[in-house]
Amino acid sequence: MSTISAMTKDTYTMYKMAQGDTQATTTAQKEASKAEESSSAQSKSYATAAANVNKLSNLVGSFDSAHGSKKTNAAPDSIASLWSGYTNSYSSGLANLNALSGVSSSAAGLVNSYNEAKSTFDTQFKAYMGDLEKSAKTVKNMSYEFSADDIKEAEDGSKTYSDGLKAAIGNVKQLVSDYNDALDLTSDYSSVGKRMESLHKSFADTTYRADTYNQLGITVDSKTGKMSVDEDKLAKALTENGDRVKNALGANGLAGKTEQHLAQANSQSDKLFPSLQSMFGNSIKTASAYTNPQVLNATVQYGMIGNLFSSMF
C-alpha cells in the first residue's frame, strides 16, 4: 500500500494528467495529431482525459481505503498506548513507592530506636530508684550513737572499727553510691525533655550543702554534684558528734532530701520519658497505617488501574 507522501505525489500527477499538461500527455496528443485528423484527435484527447480521471478516482479510493484501515486500527492502537502509559506510570509509581517505603523504613527505625531507649531507661529508672529508696531509708533509720571506743588503733597506726560503726559507714557509702547512680541516670537522659532536666537539677542540689558534707568526710563535685566518701573522716565524725551527722545525713539531711527527690521522680515516672503514643496519640497510628509498605503498594496500584479505566471510558 502506498504511503501518504507517495499517494499525494500520485494524486498531483493524475490531476495534471487530467488537465493534459504533463509531458506524457502532450506527447501522446502530438502523436495522435500526426496519426489522425484534427477532429478525431480532439475526440481521443477527451477519451484520454476521461481515462486519467478514472485513474485519479481509483487513487482517491485507494487513499480512502488506507485511511479507513487506519481508523479500524485506532482502537487497538489507543489501548496499546494506554497500556504503555499505564506501565510507565506503574514504574514511576513503584519508584515513588520505593522512596516512600524508604522514608517509612527510616521512620520505623527511629521509632524502634526511641522505644529501645525508653525501655532501657524505664528498666534502669526502676532499678536505680528502688535501690536508692532502700539505702535512703536505711541511713534515715540507722543508729548514730557511737563513741571513741568504736575505733581501735593498732601500734602500727592502722585503725579498725566496731561492727556497728562499720555498718553505719557502709550504709552511708551505699547511699552515696546509689545517689550518684541516680544522678548519672538523670544526667544521661536530661536532654529527653524539661521534666527530666528538672529532675536532674533536683538531684544535683547536693552542692548547696557541700561545706556541711565535707566536714563529715563527704566531698561533693561542684560541677556534677556527685559525692565521694572518706571513711576515716566519716568514722571520726560519727564517734565525736553523732547528732550532727544524723542532722546532716538522716531524716532532715541527705536521706530525707533523697526521699523528696524520689517522690518527685516516681510521681512523674510515666512522663519523664514519654511514649510516642502519649506524645502523638492516634496520629502515630494513622501515620503507621498510611506508611505501611503493603498499603502504599496497594494504593499505588489501585490508583493507576483506576486512572487507566477512567481514560478508556
Side-chain angles (χ1 to χ4, degrees), residues 225-292:
K226 294 180 68 174
M227 299 173 286
S228 58
V229 178
D230 182 326
E231 291 188 18
D232 291 339
K233 195 171 182 179
L234 176 59
K236 182 179 179 180
L238 283 167
T239 57
E240 291 180 350
N241 194 338
D243 289 340
R244 181 184 180 188
V245 177
K246 183 178 181 179
N247 186 60
L249 302 181
N252 297 321
L254 180 60
K257 199 69 173 178
T258 298
E259 290 183 333
Q260 292 179 21
H261 297 331
L262 284 169
Q264 177 188 359
N266 291 328
S267 67
Q268 54 185 342
S269 59
D270 60 333
K271 300 181 181 65
L272 291 173
F273 205 126
S275 66
L276 292 176
Q277 181 63 36
S278 66
M279 289 191 293
F280 299 106
N282 292 330
S283 295
I284 193 170
K285 292 182 179 180
T286 303
S288 298
Y290 278 112
T291 56
N292 182 289

Short mmCIF file of all heavy atoms in Angstrom, two decimals, residues 225-292:
data_model
loop_
_atom_site.label_atom_id
_atom_site.label_comp_id
_atom_site.label_asym_id
_atom_site.label_seq_id
_atom_site.Cartn_x
_atom_site.Cartn_y
_atom_site.Cartn_z
N GLY A 225 27.81 17.43 91.15
CA GLY A 225 27.01 17.13 92.33
C GLY A 225 27.25 15.74 92.88
O GLY A 225 26.67 15.36 93.91
N LYS A 226 28.11 14.97 92.21
CA LYS A 226 28.40 13.61 92.67
C LYS A 226 29.25 13.66 93.94
O LYS A 226 30.07 14.58 94.13
CB LYS A 226 29.11 12.81 91.58
CG LYS A 226 28.24 12.57 90.35
CD LYS A 226 28.97 11.77 89.27
CE LYS A 226 29.22 10.35 89.71
NZ LYS A 226 29.79 9.53 88.62
N MET A 227 29.07 12.65 94.79
CA MET A 227 29.72 12.64 96.10
C MET A 227 30.69 11.47 96.23
O MET A 227 30.57 10.46 95.53
CB MET A 227 28.67 12.55 97.20
CG MET A 227 27.70 13.72 97.23
SD MET A 227 26.33 13.49 98.42
CE MET A 227 25.33 12.25 97.54
N SER A 228 31.65 11.63 97.11
CA SER A 228 32.60 10.56 97.44
C SER A 228 32.82 10.57 98.95
O SER A 228 32.68 11.62 99.60
CB SER A 228 33.93 10.74 96.69
OG SER A 228 34.51 12.00 97.00
N VAL A 229 33.17 9.41 99.54
CA VAL A 229 33.25 9.27 101.00
C VAL A 229 34.67 8.96 101.45
O VAL A 229 35.32 8.05 100.92
CB VAL A 229 32.31 8.17 101.49
CG1 VAL A 229 32.42 8.00 103.01
CG2 VAL A 229 30.86 8.48 101.09
N ASP A 230 35.12 9.70 102.44
CA ASP A 230 36.38 9.41 103.13
C ASP A 230 36.00 8.66 104.41
O ASP A 230 35.47 9.25 105.36
CB ASP A 230 37.11 10.72 103.46
CG ASP A 230 38.46 10.51 104.13
OD1 ASP A 230 38.60 9.53 104.90
OD2 ASP A 230 39.36 11.32 103.88
N GLU A 231 36.27 7.36 104.46
CA GLU A 231 35.80 6.52 105.57
C GLU A 231 36.35 6.96 106.92
O GLU A 231 35.61 7.02 107.92
CB GLU A 231 36.19 5.06 105.31
CG GLU A 231 35.43 4.41 104.17
CD GLU A 231 35.71 2.92 104.08
OE1 GLU A 231 36.21 2.35 105.09
OE2 GLU A 231 35.44 2.33 103.03
N ASP A 232 37.62 7.26 107.00
CA ASP A 232 38.23 7.63 108.27
C ASP A 232 37.65 8.92 108.81
O ASP A 232 37.38 9.05 110.03
CB ASP A 232 39.75 7.78 108.12
CG ASP A 232 40.44 6.45 107.86
OD1 ASP A 232 39.83 5.41 108.21
OD2 ASP A 232 41.55 6.44 107.32
N LYS A 233 37.44 9.87 107.94
CA LYS A 233 36.89 11.16 108.37
C LYS A 233 35.44 10.99 108.81
O LYS A 233 35.00 11.62 109.80
CB LYS A 233 36.98 12.16 107.22
CG LYS A 233 36.77 13.61 107.64
CD LYS A 233 37.10 14.56 106.49
CE LYS A 233 36.94 16.00 106.94
NZ LYS A 233 37.27 16.96 105.84
N LEU A 234 34.67 10.15 108.11
CA LEU A 234 33.28 9.91 108.48
C LEU A 234 33.22 9.17 109.82
O LEU A 234 32.37 9.50 110.68
CB LEU A 234 32.57 9.09 107.40
CG LEU A 234 31.13 8.68 107.69
CD1 LEU A 234 30.24 9.91 107.94
CD2 LEU A 234 30.56 7.84 106.55
N ALA A 235 34.08 8.21 110.00
CA ALA A 235 34.11 7.46 111.26
C ALA A 235 34.41 8.39 112.44
O ALA A 235 33.77 8.30 113.51
CB ALA A 235 35.17 6.35 111.19
N LYS A 236 35.35 9.27 112.26
CA LYS A 236 35.69 10.22 113.33
C LYS A 236 34.50 11.12 113.65
O LYS A 236 34.20 11.39 114.83
CB LYS A 236 36.88 11.06 112.89
CG LYS A 236 37.37 12.04 113.95
CD LYS A 236 38.57 12.83 113.45
CE LYS A 236 39.03 13.82 114.52
NZ LYS A 236 40.21 14.63 114.06
N ALA A 237 33.78 11.61 112.59
CA ALA A 237 32.63 12.49 112.80
C ALA A 237 31.52 11.74 113.54
O ALA A 237 30.86 12.33 114.42
CB ALA A 237 32.10 12.99 111.46
N LEU A 238 31.31 10.47 113.23
CA LEU A 238 30.26 9.69 113.88
C LEU A 238 30.57 9.46 115.37
O LEU A 238 29.66 9.49 116.22
CB LEU A 238 30.10 8.34 113.18
CG LEU A 238 29.34 8.36 111.84
CD1 LEU A 238 29.50 7.04 111.10
CD2 LEU A 238 27.84 8.66 112.07
N THR A 239 31.82 9.24 115.67
CA THR A 239 32.17 8.97 117.07
C THR A 239 32.29 10.25 117.90
O THR A 239 32.13 10.22 119.13
CB THR A 239 33.51 8.21 117.15
OG1 THR A 239 34.53 8.95 116.49
CG2 THR A 239 33.37 6.83 116.51
N GLU A 240 32.55 11.37 117.27
CA GLU A 240 32.71 12.62 118.00
C GLU A 240 31.40 13.36 118.19
O GLU A 240 31.18 13.99 119.24
CB GLU A 240 33.72 13.53 117.29
CG GLU A 240 35.16 13.02 117.35
CD GLU A 240 36.14 13.94 116.65
OE1 GLU A 240 35.65 14.89 115.95
OE2 GLU A 240 37.36 13.74 116.77
N ASN A 241 30.53 13.36 117.16
CA ASN A 241 29.26 14.09 117.26
C ASN A 241 28.23 13.41 116.35
O ASN A 241 27.94 13.87 115.25
CB ASN A 241 29.47 15.55 116.85
CG ASN A 241 28.29 16.43 117.23
OD1 ASN A 241 27.17 15.95 117.43
ND2 ASN A 241 28.52 17.74 117.32
N GLY A 242 27.65 12.35 116.89
CA GLY A 242 26.67 11.57 116.13
C GLY A 242 25.43 12.38 115.74
O GLY A 242 24.88 12.21 114.64
N ASP A 243 25.00 13.24 116.66
CA ASP A 243 23.79 14.04 116.39
C ASP A 243 24.00 14.97 115.19
O ASP A 243 23.08 15.20 114.39
CB ASP A 243 23.42 14.86 117.61
CG ASP A 243 22.87 14.00 118.74
OD1 ASP A 243 22.42 12.86 118.43
OD2 ASP A 243 22.88 14.46 119.90
N ARG A 244 25.19 15.50 115.09
CA ARG A 244 25.49 16.41 113.97
C ARG A 244 25.45 15.64 112.65
O ARG A 244 24.92 16.13 111.65
CB ARG A 244 26.88 17.02 114.18
CG ARG A 244 27.27 18.00 113.09
CD ARG A 244 28.70 18.49 113.32
NE ARG A 244 29.11 19.42 112.29
CZ ARG A 244 30.36 19.89 112.16
NH1 ARG A 244 31.30 19.48 113.03
NH2 ARG A 244 30.66 20.74 111.22
N VAL A 245 26.00 14.44 112.67
CA VAL A 245 25.99 13.62 111.46
C VAL A 245 24.56 13.23 111.11
O VAL A 245 24.17 13.27 109.93
CB VAL A 245 26.87 12.36 111.65
CG1 VAL A 245 26.79 11.47 110.42
CG2 VAL A 245 28.32 12.75 111.95
N LYS A 246 23.79 12.87 112.13
CA LYS A 246 22.39 12.49 111.89
C LYS A 246 21.61 13.65 111.26
O LYS A 246 20.78 13.45 110.37
CB LYS A 246 21.74 12.07 113.20
CG LYS A 246 20.30 11.60 113.04
CD LYS A 246 19.74 11.15 114.39
CE LYS A 246 18.30 10.66 114.24
NZ LYS A 246 17.75 10.18 115.56
N ASN A 247 21.86 14.84 111.75
CA ASN A 247 21.15 16.00 111.23
C ASN A 247 21.52 16.26 109.76
O ASN A 247 20.69 16.73 108.97
CB ASN A 247 21.48 17.23 112.07
CG ASN A 247 20.66 18.44 111.66
OD1 ASN A 247 19.42 18.42 111.70
ND2 ASN A 247 21.35 19.50 111.25
N ALA A 248 22.75 15.96 109.39
CA ALA A 248 23.22 16.22 108.03
C ALA A 248 22.86 15.09 107.07
O ALA A 248 22.64 15.34 105.87
CB ALA A 248 24.73 16.43 108.03
N LEU A 249 22.77 13.86 107.61
CA LEU A 249 22.54 12.72 106.73
C LEU A 249 21.21 12.00 106.94
O LEU A 249 20.78 11.25 106.06
CB LEU A 249 23.67 11.69 106.91
CG LEU A 249 25.10 12.18 106.64
CD1 LEU A 249 26.09 11.03 106.84
CD2 LEU A 249 25.23 12.77 105.24
N GLY A 250 20.55 12.21 108.05
CA GLY A 250 19.33 11.48 108.38
C GLY A 250 18.07 12.05 107.75
O GLY A 250 18.08 12.57 106.61
N ALA A 251 16.96 11.97 108.52
CA ALA A 251 15.65 12.39 108.01
C ALA A 251 15.62 13.84 107.59
O ALA A 251 14.89 14.22 106.65
CB ALA A 251 14.60 12.13 109.09
N ASN A 252 16.40 14.69 108.26
CA ASN A 252 16.43 16.11 107.92
C ASN A 252 17.60 16.47 107.01
O ASN A 252 17.81 17.65 106.72
CB ASN A 252 16.51 16.95 109.20
CG ASN A 252 15.29 16.76 110.08
OD1 ASN A 252 14.17 16.67 109.59
ND2 ASN A 252 15.52 16.66 111.39
N GLY A 253 18.35 15.48 106.60
CA GLY A 253 19.53 15.72 105.79
C GLY A 253 19.47 15.00 104.45
O GLY A 253 18.44 15.02 103.75
N LEU A 254 20.59 14.35 104.10
CA LEU A 254 20.71 13.72 102.78
C LEU A 254 19.65 12.64 102.55
O LEU A 254 19.05 12.59 101.45
CB LEU A 254 22.11 13.11 102.63
CG LEU A 254 22.39 12.41 101.29
CD1 LEU A 254 22.25 13.39 100.11
CD2 LEU A 254 23.80 11.79 101.31
N ALA A 255 19.39 11.79 103.53
CA ALA A 255 18.40 10.72 103.36
C ALA A 255 17.00 11.30 103.12
O ALA A 255 16.25 10.84 102.24
CB ALA A 255 18.41 9.80 104.57
N GLY A 256 16.64 12.31 103.91
CA GLY A 256 15.33 12.94 103.76
C GLY A 256 15.20 13.65 102.42
O GLY A 256 14.15 13.58 101.76
N LYS A 257 16.27 14.33 102.02
CA LYS A 257 16.26 15.03 100.73
C LYS A 257 16.15 14.03 99.59
O LYS A 257 15.45 14.28 98.59
CB LYS A 257 17.55 15.84 100.58
CG LYS A 257 17.47 16.95 99.55
CD LYS A 257 16.52 18.06 100.02
CE LYS A 257 16.55 19.24 99.08
NZ LYS A 257 15.59 20.30 99.50
N THR A 258 16.81 12.91 99.75
CA THR A 258 16.75 11.86 98.73
C THR A 258 15.33 11.36 98.56
O THR A 258 14.85 11.15 97.43
CB THR A 258 17.67 10.69 99.10
OG1 THR A 258 19.03 11.15 99.16
CG2 THR A 258 17.56 9.56 98.09
N GLU A 259 14.64 11.18 99.67
CA GLU A 259 13.25 10.70 99.59
C GLU A 259 12.34 11.72 98.89
O GLU A 259 11.41 11.34 98.19
CB GLU A 259 12.73 10.38 100.99
CG GLU A 259 13.38 9.15 101.61
CD GLU A 259 12.81 8.80 102.97
OE1 GLU A 259 12.32 9.73 103.66
OE2 GLU A 259 12.87 7.62 103.36
N GLN A 260 12.63 12.98 99.08
CA GLN A 260 11.86 14.01 98.38
C GLN A 260 12.08 13.93 96.86
O GLN A 260 11.14 14.03 96.07
CB GLN A 260 12.26 15.40 98.89
CG GLN A 260 11.84 15.68 100.33
CD GLN A 260 12.29 17.06 100.79
OE1 GLN A 260 12.58 17.95 99.99
NE2 GLN A 260 12.37 17.24 102.10
N HIS A 261 13.33 13.74 96.48
CA HIS A 261 13.65 13.59 95.06
C HIS A 261 12.98 12.33 94.49
O HIS A 261 12.49 12.34 93.35
CB HIS A 261 15.16 13.51 94.85
CG HIS A 261 15.90 14.74 95.26
ND1 HIS A 261 15.34 16.01 95.22
CD2 HIS A 261 17.19 14.91 95.71
CE1 HIS A 261 16.24 16.90 95.62
NE2 HIS A 261 17.36 16.26 95.93
N LEU A 262 12.98 11.26 95.27
CA LEU A 262 12.36 10.02 94.82
C LEU A 262 10.86 10.19 94.63
O LEU A 262 10.29 9.69 93.65
CB LEU A 262 12.62 8.91 95.85
CG LEU A 262 14.03 8.31 95.85
CD1 LEU A 262 14.23 7.43 97.08
CD2 LEU A 262 14.26 7.50 94.58
N ALA A 263 10.23 10.90 95.54
CA ALA A 263 8.79 11.15 95.42
C ALA A 263 8.50 11.95 94.15
O ALA A 263 7.54 11.67 93.43
CB ALA A 263 8.29 11.90 96.65
N GLN A 264 9.34 12.95 93.88
CA GLN A 264 9.19 13.75 92.66
C GLN A 264 9.37 12.89 91.42
O GLN A 264 8.58 12.98 90.46
CB GLN A 264 10.21 14.89 92.65
CG GLN A 264 10.18 15.74 91.37
CD GLN A 264 11.34 16.73 91.31
OE1 GLN A 264 12.16 16.81 92.22
NE2 GLN A 264 11.40 17.50 90.23
N ALA A 265 10.40 12.04 91.44
CA ALA A 265 10.69 11.19 90.28
C ALA A 265 9.58 10.17 90.05
O ALA A 265 9.10 9.98 88.92
CB ALA A 265 12.02 10.48 90.48
N ASN A 266 9.15 9.50 91.11
CA ASN A 266 8.13 8.45 90.96
C ASN A 266 6.77 9.00 90.56
O ASN A 266 5.99 8.34 89.87
CB ASN A 266 8.00 7.66 92.27
CG ASN A 266 9.23 6.81 92.55
OD1 ASN A 266 9.89 6.34 91.64
ND2 ASN A 266 9.56 6.65 93.83
N SER A 267 6.46 10.23 90.99
CA SER A 267 5.16 10.82 90.67
C SER A 267 5.01 11.13 89.19
O SER A 267 3.89 11.26 88.69
CB SER A 267 4.95 12.09 91.48
OG SER A 267 5.86 13.11 91.08
N GLN A 268 6.13 11.27 88.49
CA GLN A 268 6.06 11.58 87.06
C GLN A 268 6.89 10.60 86.23
O GLN A 268 7.35 10.92 85.14
CB GLN A 268 6.56 13.01 86.82
CG GLN A 268 7.93 13.31 87.39
CD GLN A 268 8.32 14.77 87.22
OE1 GLN A 268 7.75 15.50 86.41
NE2 GLN A 268 9.31 15.21 87.98
N SER A 269 7.04 9.38 86.75
CA SER A 269 7.86 8.39 86.06
C SER A 269 7.36 8.09 84.65
O SER A 269 8.15 7.82 83.74
CB SER A 269 7.91 7.09 86.87
OG SER A 269 6.60 6.57 87.06
N ASP A 270 6.04 8.14 84.46
CA ASP A 270 5.48 7.85 83.13
C ASP A 270 5.61 9.03 82.17
O ASP A 270 5.31 8.89 80.98
CB ASP A 270 4.02 7.43 83.25
CG ASP A 270 3.16 8.51 83.89
OD1 ASP A 270 3.71 9.32 84.67
OD2 ASP A 270 1.95 8.56 83.61
N LYS A 271 6.03 10.18 82.68
CA LYS A 271 6.15 11.37 81.85
C LYS A 271 7.59 11.80 81.63
O LYS A 271 7.87 12.65 80.79
CB LYS A 271 5.38 12.54 82.48
CG LYS A 271 3.89 12.29 82.66
CD LYS A 271 3.22 13.50 83.27
CE LYS A 271 1.72 13.26 83.48
NZ LYS A 271 1.46 12.20 84.47
N LEU A 272 8.52 11.21 82.38
CA LEU A 272 9.93 11.59 82.23
C LEU A 272 10.46 11.21 80.86
O LEU A 272 11.17 11.98 80.22
CB LEU A 272 10.76 10.90 83.32
CG LEU A 272 10.54 11.39 84.75
CD1 LEU A 272 11.30 10.51 85.74
CD2 LEU A 272 10.99 12.84 84.90
N PHE A 273 10.11 10.01 80.41
CA PHE A 273 10.49 9.54 79.08
C PHE A 273 9.21 9.07 78.41
O PHE A 273 8.90 7.89 78.35
CB PHE A 273 11.49 8.38 79.19
CG PHE A 273 12.36 8.22 77.98
CD1 PHE A 273 13.75 8.20 78.12
CD2 PHE A 273 11.82 8.10 76.71
CE1 PHE A 273 14.57 8.04 77.01
CE2 PHE A 273 12.63 7.94 75.60
CZ PHE A 273 14.02 7.91 75.75
N PRO A 274 8.42 10.01 77.89
CA PRO A 274 7.08 9.68 77.38
C PRO A 274 7.12 8.74 76.19
O PRO A 274 8.07 8.75 75.40
CB PRO A 274 6.51 11.05 76.99
CG PRO A 274 7.71 11.87 76.68
CD PRO A 274 8.77 11.42 77.65
N SER A 275 6.08 7.92 76.07
CA SER A 275 5.96 7.04 74.91
C SER A 275 5.51 7.87 73.71
O SER A 275 4.94 8.95 73.85
CB SER A 275 4.95 5.93 75.19
OG SER A 275 3.65 6.49 75.34
N LEU A 276 5.77 7.35 72.51
CA LEU A 276 5.32 8.03 71.30
C LEU A 276 3.81 8.14 71.26
O LEU A 276 3.25 9.12 70.78
CB LEU A 276 5.83 7.29 70.06
CG LEU A 276 7.34 7.33 69.84
CD1 LEU A 276 7.71 6.47 68.64
CD2 LEU A 276 7.82 8.75 69.64
N GLN A 277 3.15 7.10 71.79
CA GLN A 277 1.69 7.10 71.80
C GLN A 277 1.16 8.25 72.66
O GLN A 277 0.20 8.93 72.29
CB GLN A 277 1.17 5.77 72.33
CG GLN A 277 -0.34 5.64 72.37
CD GLN A 277 -0.96 5.72 70.98
OE1 GLN A 277 -0.39 5.23 70.03
NE2 GLN A 277 -2.12 6.32 70.87
N SER A 278 1.81 8.47 73.81
CA SER A 278 1.34 9.54 74.69
C SER A 278 1.62 10.92 74.11
O SER A 278 0.89 11.87 74.37
CB SER A 278 2.03 9.42 76.06
OG SER A 278 3.43 9.65 75.96
N MET A 279 2.68 11.03 73.29
CA MET A 279 3.02 12.32 72.69
C MET A 279 2.18 12.64 71.47
O MET A 279 1.76 13.78 71.27
CB MET A 279 4.50 12.34 72.31
CG MET A 279 5.44 12.41 73.49
SD MET A 279 7.15 12.75 72.99
CE MET A 279 7.56 11.27 72.09
N PHE A 280 1.91 11.63 70.63
CA PHE A 280 1.24 11.87 69.36
C PHE A 280 -0.18 11.30 69.29
O PHE A 280 -0.91 11.58 68.34
CB PHE A 280 2.06 11.29 68.21
CG PHE A 280 3.42 11.90 68.10
CD1 PHE A 280 4.55 11.21 68.49
CD2 PHE A 280 3.58 13.18 67.62
CE1 PHE A 280 5.81 11.77 68.39
CE2 PHE A 280 4.83 13.76 67.51
CZ PHE A 280 5.95 13.05 67.90
N GLY A 281 -0.55 10.49 70.28
CA GLY A 281 -1.91 9.94 70.30
C GLY A 281 -2.19 9.08 69.09
O GLY A 281 -1.34 8.33 68.61
N ASN A 282 -3.41 9.21 68.55
CA ASN A 282 -3.82 8.40 67.41
C ASN A 282 -3.11 8.79 66.12
O ASN A 282 -3.16 8.05 65.13
CB ASN A 282 -5.33 8.50 67.20
CG ASN A 282 -6.11 7.84 68.33
OD1 ASN A 282 -5.63 6.88 68.93
ND2 ASN A 282 -7.30 8.34 68.61
N SER A 283 -2.45 9.94 66.12
CA SER A 283 -1.77 10.38 64.91
C SER A 283 -0.69 9.39 64.49
O SER A 283 -0.47 9.15 63.30
CB SER A 283 -1.12 11.75 65.13
OG SER A 283 -2.11 12.72 65.36
N ILE A 284 -0.01 8.81 65.48
CA ILE A 284 1.05 7.87 65.13
C ILE A 284 0.47 6.59 64.54
O ILE A 284 1.07 5.95 63.67
CB ILE A 284 1.93 7.54 66.36
CG1 ILE A 284 3.20 6.82 65.92
CG2 ILE A 284 1.18 6.70 67.38
CD1 ILE A 284 4.22 6.68 67.02
N LYS A 285 -0.74 6.19 64.97
CA LYS A 285 -1.39 5.03 64.38
C LYS A 285 -1.76 5.32 62.93
O LYS A 285 -1.59 4.48 62.04
CB LYS A 285 -2.64 4.66 65.17
CG LYS A 285 -2.37 4.13 66.57
CD LYS A 285 -3.67 3.74 67.26
CE LYS A 285 -3.40 3.18 68.66
NZ LYS A 285 -4.66 2.80 69.34
N THR A 286 -2.28 6.52 62.69
CA THR A 286 -2.65 6.91 61.33
C THR A 286 -1.43 6.95 60.43
O THR A 286 -1.45 6.45 59.30
CB THR A 286 -3.32 8.29 61.34
OG1 THR A 286 -4.46 8.25 62.21
CG2 THR A 286 -3.77 8.69 59.94
N ALA A 287 -0.34 7.54 60.94
CA ALA A 287 0.89 7.62 60.15
C ALA A 287 1.42 6.23 59.84
O ALA A 287 1.86 5.95 58.73
CB ALA A 287 1.94 8.43 60.91
N SER A 288 1.36 5.34 60.82
CA SER A 288 1.84 3.98 60.61
C SER A 288 1.01 3.27 59.55
O SER A 288 1.52 2.51 58.73
CB SER A 288 1.79 3.19 61.93
OG SER A 288 2.63 3.77 62.88
N ALA A 289 -0.30 3.52 59.57
CA ALA A 289 -1.18 2.89 58.59
C ALA A 289 -0.89 3.39 57.19
O ALA A 289 -0.77 2.61 56.24
CB ALA A 289 -2.64 3.17 58.96
N TYR A 290 -0.73 4.69 57.03
CA TYR A 290 -0.53 5.26 55.71
C TYR A 290 0.86 4.96 55.15
O TYR A 290 1.06 4.97 53.94
CB TYR A 290 -0.75 6.78 55.73
CG TYR A 290 -2.19 7.17 55.64
CD1 TYR A 290 -2.84 7.75 56.72
CD2 TYR A 290 -2.93 6.93 54.48
CE1 TYR A 290 -4.19 8.10 56.65
CE2 TYR A 290 -4.27 7.28 54.40
CZ TYR A 290 -4.89 7.87 55.48
OH TYR A 290 -6.22 8.20 55.40
N THR A 291 1.83 4.73 56.02
CA THR A 291 3.19 4.47 55.54
C THR A 291 3.52 2.99 55.53
O THR A 291 4.65 2.61 55.26
CB THR A 291 4.23 5.20 56.42
OG1 THR A 291 4.05 4.81 57.79
CG2 THR A 291 4.09 6.70 56.29
N ASN A 292 2.53 2.13 55.81
CA ASN A 292 2.74 0.69 55.72
C ASN A 292 3.03 0.33 54.27
O ASN A 292 2.27 0.69 53.38
CB ASN A 292 1.48 -0.03 56.21
CG ASN A 292 1.66 -1.54 56.20
OD1 ASN A 292 1.72 -2.16 55.13
ND2 ASN A 292 1.75 -2.11 57.38
#
